[in-house]
Amino acid sequence: MTTVCLTGQHSDHDVYAAQCPCRAMLDLLANKWSALAIGALEEGPQRFGQLQRSLQGVSPKVLTQSLRRLEEFGLVDRTVYPAVPLHVEYALTALGHSAAVPLRMLRVWVEDNIDNAANAGVPEASCAAD
């Protein structure tokens, strides 16, 4: 499905086209940590430590990289409050909130269907303790 480019930079947008700039946004949103960070931020602005605790298993380096990319694409705002120690909060922008809707539906679908994948023999889909 193609749509007209509203910026006028391209004739149209088609994520299936190899050179389409949409691919970078799709890559960002399809990233596990980006999608989970957007979901965590749906509840409101959070500090880095809060986000890291919410996203169990993410390293500080990967979370920083994900938040920077989300900020670059205009999905997340980073606000620095001058205090000692420095206080930084991350919050979804209007664009981020619009991306959160389909990502939330995907997360719900995954949670509802993970047992079906486990029953199909997918080893990673098992909820067994490590």
Side-chain angles (χ1 to χ4, degrees):
M1 177 177 152
T2 62
T3 59
V4 175
C5 175
L6 299 177
T7 65
Q9 295 176 340
H10 313 285
S11 60
D12 58 26
H13 294 298
D14 180 0
V15 294
Y16 294 101
Q19 299 302 314
C20 183
C22 297
R23 291 246 180 128
M25 177 72 85
L26 183 61
D27 180 56
L28 175 64
L29 294 175
N31 175 279
K32 165 178 64 177
W33 296 118
S34 295
L36 292 174
I38 289 171
L41 289 170
E42 279 187 281
E43 298 177 17
Q46 293 188 39
R47 295 174 74 169
F48 186 88
Q50 290 174 288
L51 276 171
Q52 189 175 14
R53 284 187 295 278
S54 296
L55 307 179
Q56 296 176 14
V58 68
S59 70
K61 178 183 176 185
V62 170
L63 181 55
T64 298
Q65 290 171 340
S66 297
L67 290 169
R68 283 184 183 156
R69 286 198 68 211
L70 290 167
E71 186 180 9
E72 282 175 26
F73 277 84
L75 298 166
V76 167
D77 273 334
R78 178 179 184 266
T79 304
V80 179
Y81 296 95
V84 178
L86 208 57
H87 178 149
V88 179
E89 281 188 349
Y90 297 89
L92 291 178
T93 62
L95 186 62
H97 279 287
S98 70
V101 174
L103 290 172
R104 182 181 333 108
M105 291 175 15
L106 180 60
R107 287 190 313 273
V108 168
W109 183 90
V110 168
E111 290 171 348
D112 289 347
N113 289 281
I114 191 64
D115 291 334
N116 294 330
N119 291 336
V122 178
E124 294 84 15
S126 174
C127 292
D130 294 327

